[in-house]
Structures are given as structure tokens and as C-alpha cells.
Amino acid sequence: MTTSKRPLLGVNIDHVATLRQARGVDYPCPVEAARICEQAGADGITLHLREDRRHIQDHDVYAMAEAITTRMNLEIAATAEMVTIACQVKPAWVCLVPEKREELTTEGGLEVAGQQKLLTDIIAQLQEAGSRVSLFIDPEPKQIAAAIACGADAIELHTGAYAEAGLANDLSQQQHELARIKAAVDFAQTENSDLIVNAGHGLTRDNVGAIAQIAGIYELNIGHALIADAVFMGLAESVKAMRAAMRSSI
Ligand code: PXP
């Protein structure tokens, strides 16, 4: 059934920069992409400044901060270098993510429970600079409780395992992962009703409906599939099509 209360859409524009970096030229421009996404109805723009600078570059982050009219969500690893940049840029949101140089994309959630002291300090620093802070975590009660204890404003639940089960056509595993995400949202709301719960990773027009129907999810961050669709339908249409898929029942 279609309901009006669906999550917001944050568009991750990293892979516009991936295309640019593949040739070492200055097009396509991620800032222009962000503008088109916003005009097409994106509620926020997400970008990940990776330590290896494989897609987004430092100058993109500063230019984006000037240009975005919605909300900027800057994903970074919890390192001194990245925290310094984020404190200069002061995006509306900073999302702390785990990072391994050899990975193709962010593979798992942040191990919050194991580094509570470090993350508490970093979150306080970023909040003092004026940003709100989200932690990208696996949908596990232990990590959610640790994120709350660290003073995070939001969590973003990793939907990668749900997406991968779908790609592998393992429907029972996909249902299991969906149930895990639902339970995590419920747990988070019970533990701290002020905590904002977002989700993302590996979401596509085909698999987003079930996640978008979960009550209590505030925003979905979607990048790769949306930029891939843009190759065939154009970026504005891709944003609109993703929003439509988020409203559909499955
Ligand atoms: N959320 C976080 C924290 C991420 O690191 C990523 C990938 O950069 C995404 C969402 C978007 O994932 P995808 O590109 O698979 O849609």
C-alpha cells in the first residue's frame, strides 16, 4: 500500500566524481550533479571524502558546501585529518564510516562498541564545530547502544547485507536481513526516541520499497544505483524514479 510517510532521500553523488577521476578531467562536475538532484527532489546531498581520494576531492567538498541548498552529509573516516576538514567545512551532517583502502565500497558498519572513547571525543568535536553526527553501523543492538552512549545524533543502518542477499536471489536471507533492520529501528527508538535513524547502502529501485516502508526510518542515502540509472534515464529522472520506488509497495 502507498503511504505518504516515507523516508527522505539523500543522494550520494560520489560516483559522478568516480567518472571524472577515471579520466583525470574536470567533468562531470559533482556540484552540478548535486544541483540537478536537488531540483529533482533530493532532500539532501551525501559525499564521501575517502582517505585515498578515489572519487571526491577536497575541492569538491568546499565547493559543495557553498552550493548545496538542501543539506550536506559529509561521510568521513574517524581520523584526525578528516575531522579537521569537517570542522572547517561545517556540513549540516557528518557521517562517520569505517574505511579500508583495499575495499571497493564501505563493506561493514563502524565498530562503535570497541572505540567508544575515541568516537565520543570526535563526535563532541564535530558537534562543537556546528555539525550533527551520524554513525554508519550494522543493524545490531550492541552498536546502536554504543552509538547512543557516544552522543551520536543519528545512526545510519547498513543495508548492504539485505541488498546482497537480494542480488544472490536468496529470498529467505533477504527477509532475515530485513527483519534485522526492522528490529534495529525498533530497538533504537525504544532506547532513545530522539535518535534519528537513517539507512543506506546497496539500495536500488528494486529493493528500496521494503526498506522505505519501515516505520521510523528518517532518510535513505542512495548513490551507486541512482547514478547508474542516470546513465540511461538522466540524473533528474533517476532521482524521480528512486523517489517513486520509495513510495511503492513491494
Ligand atoms: N551510506 C553510506 C554510509 C555509504 O558509505 C554509502 C556508500 O558510499 C552509501 C550510503 C550509499 O551506498 P550505495 O552507493 O551503495 O547506494
Side-chain angles (χ1 to χ4, degrees), residues 125-206:
Q125 226 180 309
L126 292 165
Q127 288 170 335
E128 188 135 323
S131 296
R132 293 206 280 170
V133 183
S134 169
L135 302 182
F136 186 50
I137 58 175
D138 289 325
E140 287 172 12
K142 184 174 94 168
Q143 301 299 342
I144 297 167
I148 293 168
C150 288
D153 301 287
I155 52 174
E156 181 174 331
L157 299 173
H158 199 313
T159 52
Y162 161 80
E164 271 165 35
L167 288 176
N169 259 325
D170 188 341
L171 294 188
S172 79
Q173 183 63 22
Q174 196 183 27
Q175 286 308 312
H176 169 75
E177 294 298 341
L178 185 60
R180 222 156 71 90
I181 294 164
K182 282 183 185 157
V185 176
D186 289 345
F187 179 81
Q189 290 189 323
T190 308
E191 290 292 298
N192 180 350
S193 57
D194 290 336
L195 187 74
I196 292 175
V197 182
N198 300 325
H201 208 281
L203 297 178
T204 66
R205 282 186 291 132
D206 289 337

Side-chain angles (χ1 to χ4, degrees), residues 12 14 75 97 106 136 156 201-202 221-224:
N12 180 316
D14 290 348
E75 295 177 1
V97 301
T106 317
F136 186 50
E156 181 174 331
H201 208 281
N221 281 310
I222 306 179
H224 185 267

Side-chain angles (χ1 to χ4, degrees), residues 25-165:
V25 289
D26 63 3
Y27 66 88
C29 171
V31 172
E32 176 64 3
R35 190 185 62 74
I36 292 169
C37 292
E38 287 182 321
Q39 282 182 356
D43 299 293
I45 301 295
T46 293
L47 57 162
H48 184 175
L49 183 65
R50 293 187 74 103
E51 291 180 277
D52 63 11
R53 309 303 200 266
R54 69 175 67 159
H55 38 53
I56 293 294
Q57 306 296 303
D58 297 51
H59 64 82
D60 293 320
V61 177
Y62 291 96
M64 205 73 79
E66 294 290 314
I68 286 175
T69 58
T70 53
R71 249 176 315 104
M72 175 165 162
N73 176 33
L74 179 63
E75 295 177 1
I76 55 168
T79 65
E81 181 202 15
M82 290 299 157
V83 172
T84 302
I85 294 171
C87 286
Q88 284 167 2
V89 174
K90 305 181 198 309
W93 282 94
V94 174
C95 181
L96 297 175
V97 301
E99 220 175 276
K100 288 193 226 109
R101 282 187 186 242
E102 63 278 13
E103 70 191 355
L104 285 178
T105 181
T106 317
E107 280 167 1
L110 197 60
E111 174 48 49
V112 186
Q115 41 181 351
Q116 249 174 261
K117 166 83 181 79
L118 172 76
L119 291 172
T120 301
D121 290 350
I122 289 178
I123 289 169
Q125 226 180 309
L126 292 165
Q127 288 170 335
E128 188 135 323
S131 296
R132 293 206 280 170
V133 183
S134 169
L135 302 182
F136 186 50
I137 58 175
D138 289 325
E140 287 172 12
K142 184 174 94 168
Q143 301 299 342
I144 297 167
I148 293 168
C150 288
D153 301 287
I155 52 174
E156 181 174 331
L157 299 173
H158 199 313
T159 52
Y162 161 80
E164 271 165 35

